Amino acid sequence: MRKRSIRVQVWLNKEEKAKLEASAKKAGLSQETYLRALINGYVPKELPPPDYYAVMKELHAIGSNLNQIAARANAIGHIDRTTFQYEANRLRKAVLDIQTAVTSPERRVENGQND
């Protein structure tokens, strides 16, 4: 049996329909799910950029490696500077990649073509 038994029909003009379709697509949701979220007081966020998951995976790997370096340094009383510097550099690069992905302006696309 369906969770929802009440059907609501809404009439939109072309511009409203286009905005609904675009907003739902940007959020990776169906139009129905997008509208339910709005009704329940949530504004769905846009999907993260395509490289988000790769960058997050890299950050997790770096964090794990740094944790292992710290545990080893704690156990033996000294740190492997080369390994630590390598991981620190990976972390700096990942942070810069995130900053670039999040803050760099993107060329606007109009009518399906780049400006």
Side-chain angles (χ1 to χ4, degrees):
M1 186 170 170
R2 289 183 157 201
K3 288 183 183 179
R4 296 174 178 90
S5 60
I6 300 171
R7 181 180 177 165
V8 175
Q9 188 171 2
V10 178
W11 293 92
L12 304 173
N13 62 34
K14 286 182 182 181
E15 292 81 19
E16 292 167 336
K17 176 68 171 161
K19 284 182 184 179
L20 174 59
E21 288 172 347
S23 296
K25 184 176 180 179
K26 286 179 184 177
L29 301 172
S30 68
Q31 293 173 36
E32 295 82 0
T33 302
Y34 185 85
L35 288 172
R36 280 190 210 103
L38 291 173
I39 290 167
N40 288 309
Y42 297 95
V43 178
K45 292 184 178 185
E46 291 184 13
L47 290 172
D51 56 351
Y52 168 81
Y53 296 102
V55 171
M56 291 306 294
K57 184 177 178 181
E58 181 76 10
L59 284 176
H60 284 290
I62 293 167
S64 177
N65 290 346
L66 288 172
N67 193 33
Q68 290 173 6
I69 292 167
R72 180 162 169 82
N74 194 30
I76 64 173
H78 92 287
I79 191 165
D80 179 351
R81 288 178 186 252
T82 304
T83 305
F84 178 80
Q85 190 61 52
Y86 173 77
E87 293 302 330
N89 289 340
R90 282 181 63 202
L91 180 59
R92 281 189 202 96
K93 183 183 180 323
V95 168
L96 287 173
D97 289 347
I98 292 169
Q99 287 175 333
T100 300
V102 173
T103 63
S104 293
E106 294 180 10
R107 182 170 296 279
R108 185 180 358 191
V109 176
E110 292 184 17
N111 298 328
Q113 296 187 1
N114 290 340
D115 289 340

